[in-house]
Amino acid sequence: MAHPQIKSRRQHIRLWFEFYKLALDDPDLQDNLAKVRTFYEPWGDPRGVDFRDWWKDHGYLFGATQVEEATKVSKAPNVLNVSIPLNLPVTKTLPEIKALIEAKQRERLQELGLDPKGAKSLNAGFGTYEINAKELRGRPLHEAHVIYSIWLEMGKPTINSDFLQAVRDRLLGRPKAKWLPSFLLVPGWDIDSKGNPCFTENQIRQMRRSIKKAQDVCLSVSRGRFP
């Protein structure tokens, strides 16, 4: 029942993608989404689209954003690998690096079907979208997304012991990923008025917090931010 690790940048972008899909179907968020329509326009409509297929055509939108030493050659389309001699003065290498970068930017824009001469900036068109959190905790966000999706599919039922049991049963009934959120690992320690075992109030509160977290992320995404 181990929870899948959510650590890579691509996995974090996938979370953004999945929360955006939920936001698109939320009637309460349509006004926000209308205000950021041009921001998300390059994404297209992701509803009904598998992330892996979408990423093939849209991954270039999430370019690298900082200069760092490369330990191996990157094949990412928005990354330029250069070799810089350390025995040369910076005043000599910087103009050469600038020329290389600008040439690569023009080439990349042409590959994307854009006119470098008509672009306001040579870096326009790729690397536009960035995750706002300095350190993103992917696991609780993934849990919140899964739980919130189930809650929506069930018609937003009352969040009580019966709902927790339904979520637990559904997660355990999946053919492959049978992980559970930590607060659902134990099926419940309390006894209800009929003498049946049920989930505790603390477990129910954690479920409500998880759903609230997902709602907050959807709200943030509808404003063009993640998370």
Side-chain angles (χ1 to χ4, degrees), residues 24-25 35 57 71 79 108 113 159 172 178 182 196:
L24 285 171
D25 289 330
K35 295 175 183 177
D57 297 324
T71 57
V79 174
R108 185 75 181 111
I159 303 171
L172 289 177
K178 296 182 183 295
S182 58
N196 299 315

Side-chain angles (χ1 to χ4, degrees), residues 11-206:
Q11 288 172 319
H12 292 161
I13 293 169
R14 180 171 189 162
L15 283 172
W16 189 351
F17 172 84
E18 298 297 345
F19 273 106
Y20 178 51
K21 289 164 73 171
L22 292 180
L24 285 171
D25 289 330
D26 190 331
D28 295 333
L29 300 179
Q30 297 311 301
D31 287 344
N32 286 345
L33 289 167
K35 295 175 183 177
V36 294
R37 182 183 61 82
T38 55
F39 177 76
Y40 282 116
E41 193 169 28
W43 288 37
D45 189 343
R47 288 171 290 191
V49 179
D50 184 270
F51 174 77
R52 289 168 294 186
D53 295 329
W54 180 86
W55 180 257
K56 294 176 184 177
D57 297 324
H58 298 84
Y60 72 89
L61 295 170
F62 303 86
T65 59
Q66 64 183 26
V67 177
E68 57 186 11
E69 181 180 357
T71 57
K72 60 181 179 180
V73 176
S74 171
K75 296 182 180 179
N78 292 333
V79 174
L80 172 64
N81 299 285
V82 297
S83 176
I84 303 173
L86 296 179
N87 62 324
L88 294 180
V90 173
T91 52
K92 177 175 175 57
T93 58
L94 285 181
E96 294 178 355
I97 293 171
K98 181 176 183 291
L100 283 172
I101 292 173
E102 291 179 345
K104 187 64 177 180
Q105 286 175 327
R106 292 188 184 91
E107 178 184 331
R108 185 75 181 111
L109 286 171
Q110 290 174 338
E111 290 174 356
L112 297 172
L114 302 173
D115 182 7
K117 295 181 180 179
K120 293 182 180 179
S121 171
L122 286 178
N123 63 10
F126 44 88
T128 305
Y129 305 92
E130 288 305 321
I131 294 170
N132 293 290
K134 292 182 179 179
E135 184 176 350
L136 185 65
R137 298 179 62 208
R139 175 173 174 172
L141 283 177
H142 181 243
E143 287 183 356
H145 175 268
V146 171
I147 290 171
Y148 186 54
S149 297
I150 293 174
W151 185 64
L152 292 176
E153 290 170 9
M154 294 178 64
K156 301 181 180 180
T158 301
I159 303 171
N160 54 21
S161 182
D162 289 340
F163 172 67
L164 268 67
Q165 186 62 55
V167 172
R168 190 175 192 277
D169 291 343
R170 183 174 296 201
L171 292 177
L172 289 177
R174 295 188 296 179
K176 294 182 179 180
K178 296 182 183 295
W179 58 266
L180 289 173
S182 58
F183 62 89
L184 290 182
L185 289 175
V186 178
W189 290 101
D190 276 2
I191 302 296
D192 64 18
S193 59
K194 297 180 180 180
N196 299 315
C198 63
F199 288 92
T200 66
E201 283 300 318
N202 182 54
Q203 289 172 303
I204 294 171
R205 279 195 297 271
Q206 290 186 71

